[in-house]
Amino acid sequence: CAAPGEYIGILYRRTEAEARAKAETELRDVSTALETLAEPVIMMRGHTITSVNHATLETFGYESKSELEGQGVTVLMQTPEASKHSSFVDRFERTGERRIIGKPRVVTGKRKDGSSVSLTLSVSPCAAPGEYIGILYRRTEAEARAKAETELRDVSTALETLAEPVIMMRGHTITSVNHATLETFGYESKSELEGQGVTVLMQTPEASKHSSFVDRFERTGERRIIGKPRVVTGKRKDGSSVSLTLSVSPCAAPGEY
């Protein structure tokens, strides 16, 4: 997500196994969407490139995705940018400290022919621990932030069409919900939920557990619930319960889900 302290939660009327399968399908859908972006997009597991889009090939002068997928991401960085990036990611995985995660910064990329290209890089953690997505912009940092905000609005529009409830959060506060959330929890208007604490949708003691898990993640980087689908008891507007599987993912900027 674009702003600090925001999160996205997706709820499924499924078992955990079914939710994981659904999440994998939606990841493929997202990957298809990323392929159409004009900006280079790089998916990583740790320091290793797992997927790139066509714009990455054009920007860095490669002909085939197979030339990059499976390589260390530092193949696309000039020295000393490469060693800096690796140390920042390692520190984040050990401590949760976000030196570069969610913070657009100007970097010097390295094309296949060895020449340099100036880009703004934004790295976000994905749902699964150790997985990241990097988006590169041929823009200044300010321009890149504006572009990211525009793309966030595009993503929000896409999420509105999902049949599953989707909740965007900044810290513990709901910033946006889709129509499926209203139907599932028995609300008539988004204004009834947006601006409320997300625990309004949870039965006790689920509410206090969720808050403590998110607070711990923000302090320490420990992923008790982040990126791990789990069965929760939701609370409808009329007070009745609904059993759901919840998947919470951090967005680009610290504190966004």
Side-chain angles (χ1 to χ4, degrees), residues 89-100:
V89 172
D90 287 341
R91 183 181 292 109
F92 172 72
E93 294 194 346
R94 290 196 315 272
T95 69
E97 182 185 356
R98 293 171 177 253
R99 286 284 183 92
I100 62 169

Side-chain angles (χ1 to χ4, degrees), residues 19-109:
R20 287 184 184 276
K22 175 70 173 177
E24 288 172 2
T25 299
E26 290 176 350
L27 178 59
R28 287 194 293 271
D29 292 342
V30 169
S31 298
T32 300
L34 293 178
E35 181 63 31
T36 66
L37 289 182
E39 312 291 353
V41 177
I42 303 167
M43 305 291 289
M44 294 161 281
R45 182 175 294 112
H47 302 294
T48 303
I49 298 170
T50 57
S51 178
V52 298
N53 67 349
H54 186 70
T56 303
L57 304 183
E58 290 186 335
T59 299
F60 291 94
Y62 288 84
E63 296 177 2
S64 168
K65 293 182 180 182
S66 62
E67 294 180 84
L68 290 174
E69 292 170 357
Q71 298 294 315
V73 69
T74 53
V75 72
L76 299 176
M77 301 176 187
Q78 297 285 16
T79 306
E81 198 70 55
S83 57
K84 283 184 186 177
H85 180 85
S86 296
S87 66
F88 289 155
V89 172
D90 287 341
R91 183 181 292 109
F92 172 72
E93 294 194 346
R94 290 196 315 272
T95 69
E97 182 185 356
R98 293 171 177 253
R99 286 284 183 92
I100 62 169
I101 305 299
K103 300 177 181 178
R105 64 195 179 98
V106 176
V107 298
T108 303

Side-chain angles (χ1 to χ4, degrees), residues 106-143:
V106 176
V107 298
T108 303
K110 181 181 178 181
R111 294 190 180 98
K112 183 178 179 180
D113 63 9
S115 61
S116 297
V117 55
S118 182
L119 299 159
T120 297
L121 169 65
S122 178
V123 178
S124 305
C126 298
E131 296 191 358
Y132 304 85
I133 179 171
I135 302 180
L136 293 148
Y137 305 90
R138 288 180 175 272
R139 296 173 172 84
T140 64
E141 184 171 333
E143 290 172 326

Side-chain angles (χ1 to χ4, degrees), residues 103-248:
K103 300 177 181 178
R105 64 195 179 98
V106 176
V107 298
T108 303
K110 181 181 178 181
R111 294 190 180 98
K112 183 178 179 180
D113 63 9
S115 61
S116 297
V117 55
S118 182
L119 299 159
T120 297
L121 169 65
S122 178
V123 178
S124 305
C126 298
E131 296 191 358
Y132 304 85
I133 179 171
I135 302 180
L136 293 148
Y137 305 90
R138 288 180 175 272
R139 296 173 172 84
T140 64
E141 184 171 333
E143 290 172 326
R145 286 183 184 275
K147 176 69 173 176
E149 289 172 2
T150 298
E151 289 176 351
L152 174 61
R153 288 193 293 271
D154 292 343
V155 169
S156 297
T157 300
L159 293 177
E160 181 63 32
T161 66
L162 290 181
E164 310 293 352
V166 178
I167 303 166
M168 306 288 287
M169 295 161 280
R170 181 179 294 113
H172 301 294
T173 303
I174 298 170
T175 57
S176 177
V177 298
N178 67 348
H179 186 70
T181 302
L182 303 183
E183 291 186 334
T184 299
F185 291 94
Y187 288 84
E188 296 178 2
S189 168
K190 293 182 180 183
S191 62
E192 294 180 84
L193 289 174
E194 293 170 356
Q196 299 293 314
V198 69
T199 53
V200 73
L201 298 178
M202 301 176 185
Q203 297 284 17
T204 306
E206 198 69 54
S208 57
K209 283 184 186 177
H210 180 84
S211 296
S212 65
F213 289 155
V214 172
D215 287 341
R216 182 181 292 110
F217 172 71
E218 293 195 346
R219 288 197 316 272
T220 68
E222 181 184 355
R223 292 172 176 251
R224 286 283 182 94
I225 62 168
I226 305 299
K228 299 176 181 179
R230 64 195 179 99
V231 176
V232 298
T233 303
K235 180 181 178 181
R236 294 190 179 97
K237 183 179 178 179
D238 63 8
S240 62
S241 297
V242 55
S243 182
L244 300 160
T245 298
L246 170 66
S247 177
V248 178

